[in-house]
């Protein structure tokens, strides 16, 4: 009987537990697999710290946020005790025949190195930013967008009542998908993403033109957005004449600048960790479950070095090589197209 | 300057207003179009009952459920005053150069007939059941699934506390997509869909086996599900010995039968209209907006006889002929595959 | 060291787990009590079926709907194995010094009889209908009202789009509090409650006048509402000429009658069990926690025969005698006052 | 026919529109009043900037966050154009017989001064912090607590997955009611409120003891909380050796200090404006509606100088003198009592 180990690595994401549940239920039900879960990402694999995952453990968990296995940013080749030998020893000791690594770009890169070192491994993509080229969508993104959209809906009423400009910062370090989706869904007046710098003047012009139409400007900004004159603007903020490292997020930097340049009272909100925790949306639970079922098929086939992915409505397999290092950013034409509807 | 008319036809659906808003904002902003909205579906087109749709009218409406245009099941060739001549006269009188019909299979069939009668028309697919072959997803479906999933989550706690079997009926006349997605997301123990009849004995066996594992059975059933011995079972329910037309939904029929055959106290809930109203999910607002933007491109191109559709992450065009009459049902392998995870 | 047993009896209610948690955390933390939980209401007390409730068992449960103890409608003096002797024997065997009974009017009546039979018992009021005179509010009611209100918000958009009259049935067998609160919160056009019969003619007049003002009528009806000509109206519905017992709820009876008498297309939705399950509102969790903390004080004081209750912002104690049999109905002046705002 | 003017002053609050709607519907329906709304608080009263409020304007608005009248912090006796003479002139010009001022402590103090200057005025209390002695609850507070509680529920799953301490900052400048309610509802491990300073050592001891029990510490802190060594701790944070004004909220100050002192990775989230905007809870809509209805009775009675308030389940009248300057803080025994359940 085959026995596989699952680990979740990197930041937590709504839908992780659905993947774990889908894998175990399908793997034990269809293939007679056994499963263990490594605790806290690659740390559990390196130290052989694992828990049994039978059907009773995973029942009812897809509604829960986070991951029942725990997660960490432990680098299996970076940490002193890491390395292929340590991981191989853990697998042997636990009688585990292959590893299912659920994680983002960094995790897939590490998994690829494991594969090169002869460790049987497959992958499940996980990025709340939805910025992986190899898959149409990743789980967690949908929940984050719903939460961010509700936040915009809420902020808008305060903005309207006080005639203020409201700035909401959402996640998105290298790709602005959450900002794009939430901004379009909630009818923001400006969406600022890492892919496309915009000058402070341009932003203020948008804000002013919204106000001039009698409305209260709503700006959604991804955490990774940068504007050309940002460092100068920032040091300009120092009241004691010293340059210093920026505190707070981009929204907290932008809001006072917008207020200063436009004369419109402006308030910043940083959504932060609220976006990634809590009950996953149904969509993310379904996607996570399908990924989990498909990855149990992968290990049943011993199709090592593959990652599951969504293409249209199908779950497909893509090799690690195609998955690693390909960031899916918001296409400029989509970004520009969305400007047409900034009503 | 070109001028187009929009109509929404058939049952309302979360996301309709996002389509209308996306069309008008993109069409007026990018192409200098003008738009009117026909009231109450084809009725407004036949009688020339229309409202101006400028940018101010559509601002902020994507958060609203329903359709600001009103809708109806008025058949443009069926109703006495209908017919191509009446519609052509309306278009001429209102100075409208083409029609954007937002609706389901029946609406697209009617639109196809309009096209044959020389009326310039394009389409936007709308079915809350997600059962249109030509598009990966339709808007509204996502909202319905989220609402249905939350309902299952809620019912489960009552089921567990009382050790009852809970039966939830969701929408899905010819295709069981809502039941499949909500059932998988919420971890139902049985999902019953129109595509696949199951015998009452089979259902009761599933229910009993869940109870025997110490859990409270949760059944999600699509309104269109039928079981082989259903008519007999039903007439058997009559207390006065008379056969009569079934009242209530399939859940209200199933629940007492399950209770009778298994001895497990069973309760039915029919979700009904709650699934289709109210604030649309962010996903449906984004999809609706993208459909709307794309259909304004369609009419700008005078690409009559085409319908917008989602393929993967792209919005594409498909001819009416490919869209009409192709119901997308749940594939049997997907249905059976999901049984593996009925934990 | 004192040891007490908790039981939850009757229909489940959001907030039950908060009561259990509040009792155990306060009782163990402040008074060094021990607690057990009787399974499935009085059944567990009669048969001595109990689980240990230490701090680790109750942590994190206040977010969960239902009751971790299970519940039932088992009558401790009605069921064959019941009676004071059986319960006394259970308490002795388990070393339990007193009983905390969480339940509604029937449970408090039973508790009062236990008290008369010399069994030390205190009470926590529980009725989702909020119809207990002795307390300003009961937990669970707030969650039910929030869910019902969201349902009205959703139905309204469908009603407006289709120009239909929508009828929503909510809980409330003897008192219409849920209907009143949800109807007022969501701006219903008619609220029908058990306390005040209204004729079908009156209802139809209200519905028609709303339509005549260009709006789509929204009716919220409590399950216990009755109208004078109801039985006749109902038998009138039989298509085969036979009178028969009514199937379905009051909404399903009213909707076709309204449609028939007004000519306005009318749809019924029965909210049912969705109102009582799932994640409790913060308000209900706080009230449940405070009740739980206060009842641990009660047993610490051996103040048997008392029930905790909310008065203003204070938690007070009331004797069983004052609590039993006093249904708190909606005052007629409040009902009539609310008609002023049926916009 | 009598004619009254309504204004909303200070920060926006979920339920304001329900008050406006309740006032107008009851006042026009029962008493034949006319109503106008002053725009942007006292600014509208000083400048005579008002809109007619007939029944059609207020229909359906109770679901909307914010205030349809706009609001501001304009001080009627502070701003250059202000003063009793200006307001009296506005009232005369608009034919308004009395003012309904909806606002917080500062608004009631201003209203009291208006009264002294012979301007007929009544009040409706509004504070999202719930810190007004004269009323059991204010509208908006309930919505804020529900949003804050959901945020804690979400953050907890991330905390557990990463074994982090999560710190959530909620509103509450002078009173910690939102922190208390959300913290109790969601089972926080520490609740920090303005009423009760706690030392950094004490906080870190709580956090460490939670971690030692194998759990992830959850801290809810009100924005107004201060700890004894705070200024020192803060200046200690400066990396360049300069003291400077604190940026960001208390959570952003606490989180790195907790991390530094306990060695537990700690993250801060500031909920901010999200708490006060958006769809009001049903409870707040009902309370707002009842306040609105009651204040229309107040002006019908010409009972100037009174404010409506909630006592138990009743709406009562209290004189301005009793309402002004009496902050309702969290009683220390309630704060300490809640520590018993910090599981």
């Amino acid at each position: 009987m085959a026995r596989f180990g699952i680990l979740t690595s990197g930041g937590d994401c709504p839908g992780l537990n659905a993947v774990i549940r889908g894998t175990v239920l399908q793997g034990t039900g269809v293939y007679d697999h056994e499963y263990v879960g490594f605790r806290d990402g690659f740390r559990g694999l390196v130290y052989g710290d694992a828990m049994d995952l039978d059907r009773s453990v995973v029942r009812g968990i897809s509604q829960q946020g986070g991951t029942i296995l725990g997660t960490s940013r432990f680098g299996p080749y970076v940490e002193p005790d890491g390395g292929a030998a340590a991981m191989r020893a853990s697998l042997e000791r636990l009688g585990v025949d292959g590893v299912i690594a659920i994680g983002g770009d960094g995790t897939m890169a590490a998994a690829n190195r494991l594969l090169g070192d002869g460790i049987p491994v497959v992958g499940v993509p996980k990025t709340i930013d939805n910025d992986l080229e190899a898959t149409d969508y990743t789980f967690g993104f949908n929940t984050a967008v719903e939460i961010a959209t509700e936040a915009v809906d809420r902020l808008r009423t305060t903005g309207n009542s006080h005639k203020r400009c409201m700035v909401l910062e959402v996640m998105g370090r290298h790709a602005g998908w959450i900002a794009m989706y939430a901004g379009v869904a909630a009818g923001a007046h400006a969406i600022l993403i890492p892919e496309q710098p915009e000058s402070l003047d341009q932003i203020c012009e948008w804000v002013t033109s919204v106000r001039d139409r009698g409305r209260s400007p709503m700006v959604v900004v991804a955490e990774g957005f940068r504007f050309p004159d940002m460092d100068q603007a920032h040091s300009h903020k120092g009241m004691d004449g010293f340059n210093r490292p920026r505190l707070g997020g981009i929204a907290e930097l932008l809001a006072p600048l917008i207020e200063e340049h436009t004369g419109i009272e402006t308030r910043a909100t940083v959504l932060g960790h609220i976006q990634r925790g809590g009950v996953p949306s149904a969509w993310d639970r379904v996607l996570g479950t399908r990924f989990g079922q498909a990855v149990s098929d992968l290990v049943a086939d011993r199709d090592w070095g593959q990652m599951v992915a969504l293409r249209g409505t199908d779950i497909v397999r893509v090799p690690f090589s195609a998955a690693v290092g390909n960031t899916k950013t918001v296409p400029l034409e989509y970004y520009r197209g969305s400007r047409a509807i900034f009503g």
Side-chain angles (χ1 to χ4, degrees), chain A residues 14-15 18-19 62 130 135-146 181 279-291 310-315:
Chain A
V19 178
S62 61
N130 197 38
T135 183
D136 280 2
Y137 291 101
T138 43
F139 58 86
F141 170 66
N142 183 273
T143 304
V145 168
E146 296 294 339
Y181 269 62
V279 180
S281 72
W283 169 272
D284 281 335
R285 298 191 216 171
V286 170
L287 182 55
T289 302
R290 294 186 72 196
F291 274 179
L310 179 72
R311 290 275 169 77
T313 58
D314 295 326
I315 308 294

Side-chain angles (χ1 to χ4, degrees), chain A residues 1 7 29 31 40 43-44 58 94 113 124 227 239 277 324:
Chain A
M1 183 164 52
L7 64 85
Y31 300 112
D40 305 332
R43 197 194 61 73
V58 301
L94 293 162
R113 191 160 162 196
V124 178
F227 53 95
M239 292 171 116
V324 171

Side-chain angles (χ1 to χ4, degrees), chain A residues 193-214:
Chain A
I193 59 176
E195 291 88 337
Q196 179 63 11
E198 304 280 2
S199 71
L200 188 56
D201 283 350
Q202 174 64 81
I203 296 169
C204 291
E205 192 189 305
W206 286 332
V207 163
T208 305
S209 80
V210 171
R211 195 262 320 264
D212 292 348
R213 294 199 310 269

